[in-house]
Amino acid sequence: MCNRTSAMKTSKSASAARKSPSGHSPTVSSSRSSTKKPVKATSAKKPTKVSAKRAVSSVKKVVKKASKAVAAPTNDKARVYDLLRHFTTVMLITTEGEGDKATLRARPMDIAKLDEDCTLTFLTGLDTAKVHEVKSDAAVYVVAQGRSVYVSLRGRVEVVRDRERIHAAWKPVDKVYFPEGKDDPNLCLMVLHPDEAEFWDMTGPKGIRYLFEAARALFSGERMQSGGGAETHDRIELGDGPARD
């Protein structure tokens, strides 16, 4: 009986020695810890070298793709109209005085109406200096300037007093300048019939192409020749204005 009891105690002691408090063998746990592979330090990737030729080719592809995505106007007048329609205010340049005393004078004018043939209409008063100036010399210039678009127009101005046309050009906000409203007898229209337009357009793909050509000229040490060609800068004949009344 004593021998059996001793054997059971010995068996329990051996079993307890093999198990850790968590129920796992400390020997096995130690073995697993020691067999873990060391973590390798990650090294930073070396920057990829891109050749100038490859960079130029990539830029050309982007410009070409962007150019196809933008629908270009079908004719010269449409090109100018497409640029002018983004402006609400332009500078009107008239001639003040006569002979040797003649000088140029510029004023900001709100566009009351823009026609597809690029005719511009302005609302003004009959008693203003600009109306008197265009009666003496109907030749004027209009300049429109934006962040990336510049347009100049050369043409002749027609002074219109037709009430129906005045009513068609009238907007409620115009009452700020003409408190008596669209039936003010002093109200008239100045209609610019453009003969020629010149523009500089640096928007969208055209602007990207211009910057690309400028950068290439800078790095090559050569003068930039085209800078985007006629798409970026062009002078366009729009036709003669009508005879004055």
Side-chain angles (χ1 to χ4, degrees):
M1 185 70 177
C2 291
N3 291 338
R4 184 176 179 181
T5 303
S6 299
M8 290 177 65
K9 287 181 178 181
T10 302
S11 176
K12 287 180 180 180
S13 299
S15 176
R18 287 196 303 269
K19 293 182 178 180
S20 65
S22 60
H24 297 287
S25 171
T27 305
V28 173
S29 176
S30 176
S31 175
R32 285 178 180 175
S33 300
S34 61
T35 56
K36 286 183 178 179
K37 295 181 180 180
V39 179
K40 293 183 180 180
T42 57
S43 57
K45 293 183 179 180
K46 295 181 179 180
T48 305
K49 292 183 179 180
V50 180
S51 65
K53 187 175 181 181
R54 185 177 177 184
V56 169
S57 177
S58 299
V59 172
K60 283 184 176 180
K61 288 180 180 178
V62 172
V63 172
K64 187 176 181 181
K65 185 177 180 180
S67 298
K68 289 182 178 180
V70 178
T74 55
N75 57 63
D76 286 342
K77 285 188 178 180
R79 292 168 67 193
V80 178
Y81 173 82
D82 189 58
L83 297 175
L84 288 174
R85 67 187 179 86
H86 297 291
F87 294 93
T88 57
T89 305
V90 295
M91 295 296 291
L92 175 67
I93 303 171
T94 58
T95 302
E96 183 180 41
E98 297 179 358
D100 296 337
K101 295 183 179 180
T103 58
L104 297 178
R105 187 174 177 186
R107 305 171 179 84
M109 297 288 290
D110 291 333
I111 300 174
K113 187 169 179 276
L114 169 64
D115 296 328
E116 290 186 359
D117 64 354
C118 302
T119 297
L120 290 172
T121 300
F122 310 103
L123 275 168
T124 190
L126 279 168
D127 58 355
T128 57
K130 53 185 169 289
V131 170
H132 294 296
E133 288 160 8
V134 298
K135 283 183 177 179
S136 300
D137 186 353
V140 301
Y141 281 89
V142 162
V143 175
Q145 178 179 338
R147 295 184 63 181
S148 303
V149 177
Y150 310 86
V151 183
S152 69
L153 298 174
R154 176 180 59 80
R156 300 182 71 81
V157 166
E158 174 191 8
V159 178
V160 177
R161 301 184 64 179
D162 182 87
R163 305 315 300 180
E164 187 175 343
R165 291 177 65 179
I166 291 173
H167 287 185
W170 176 267
K171 297 182 180 65
V173 71
D174 294 326
K175 201 166 184 179
V176 173
Y177 302 102
F178 307 99
E180 295 185 28
K182 58 186 176 181
D183 292 317
D184 184 345
N186 187 49
L187 196 61
C188 69
L189 302 177
M190 293 180 69
V191 182
L192 170 68
H193 302 279
D195 298 328
E196 181 185 77
E198 188 170 7
F199 68 82
W200 295 259
D201 182 9
M202 306 298 176
T203 58
K206 295 180 288 294
I208 296 174
R209 186 180 298 107
Y210 176 85
L211 293 175
F212 169 73
E213 295 293 341
R216 185 166 65 175
L218 179 65
F219 286 109
S220 66
E222 299 176 356
R223 183 177 179 179
M224 184 171 64
Q225 297 297 325
S226 61
E231 291 184 0
T232 303
H233 172 229
D234 202 1
R235 180 178 291 182
I236 296 170
E237 293 292 332
L238 298 175
D240 297 331
R244 294 178 61 195
D245 295 337

